[in-house]
Amino acid sequence: MFKSLMTSIGIGDAKVDTLLQRKTFHPQDQIAGIVTLENIEENGIERIELTLIERKENTDETSDFQTIDKPVSKVVLQYNGTNEIPFIFDANDKIEDYQHEFFIMTHVFVDYAVDYYDEDQIYFESEATL
């Protein structure tokens, strides 16, 4: 069962939660979870995108930004009439360095309204513990 609440976005009476079994993963693991939806049918949700982000230090001295966000993997979910939509990220071959910070960004696209975003950090076991 998915126990760790990661993301909760409220849109009027609607609620979108992103759930994972855990927040720490082995580098070879798939990141699996579910997005739960409540009161969604009347709120015009076009789609939900989940993106695994690798956040690393920006070494460009001319930049005003201290970090760079690199999208590693993206999953697009369509509302299909159910209250739970499963997802899986399989991105281990695209990650540059497991010592960087990682986030799952949830982006809810709403017809004729402002989109909603949220992000939550996840962790990978260090290579020293493998």
Side-chain angles (χ1 to χ4, degrees):
M1 188 65 185
F2 297 97
K3 299 176 185 174
S4 300
L5 174 66
M6 291 211 38
T7 304
S8 182
I9 304 170
I11 307 166
D13 289 338
K15 186 175 176 185
V16 179
D17 291 331
T18 304
L19 305 166
L20 296 175
Q21 280 185 314
R22 59 189 190 274
K23 291 182 90 168
T24 302
F25 297 89
H26 183 279
Q28 299 304 316
D29 288 346
Q30 291 183 323
I31 301 167
I34 58 173
V35 174
T36 62
L37 309 167
E38 295 178 28
N39 302 319
I40 212 73
E41 54 278 345
E42 60 194 54
N43 290 293
I45 296 214
E46 182 182 315
R47 70 184 182 280
I48 301 167
E49 288 184 0
L50 297 154
T51 307
L52 177 61
I53 302 289
E54 181 176 359
R55 186 166 290 162
K56 56 186 181 177
E57 181 181 353
N58 186 357
T59 58
D60 182 355
E61 294 178 10
T62 63
S63 176
D64 292 333
F65 300 100
Q66 294 179 352
T67 59
I68 297 172
D69 285 356
K70 176 188 172 194
V72 176
S73 184
K74 182 182 288 190
V75 177
V76 178
L77 307 175
Q78 300 295 327
Y79 178 62
N80 59 6
T82 64
N83 292 336
E84 294 184 351
I85 304 172
F87 66 88
I88 295 175
F89 287 108
D90 191 14
N92 53 18
D93 61 333
K94 299 175 187 170
I95 292 175
E96 291 180 8
D97 184 347
Y98 287 99
Q99 300 304 313
H100 292 156
E101 293 183 326
F102 292 89
F103 296 84
I104 292 182
M105 178 180 284
T106 303
H107 180 178
V108 180
F109 292 84
V110 183
D111 290 336
Y112 309 109
V114 176
D115 292 344
Y116 293 86
Y117 296 88
D118 193 39
E119 68 178 39
D120 291 281
Q121 191 165 9
I122 64 168
Y123 304 92
F124 287 96
E125 296 173 352
S126 71
E127 293 176 2
T129 62
L130 300 179

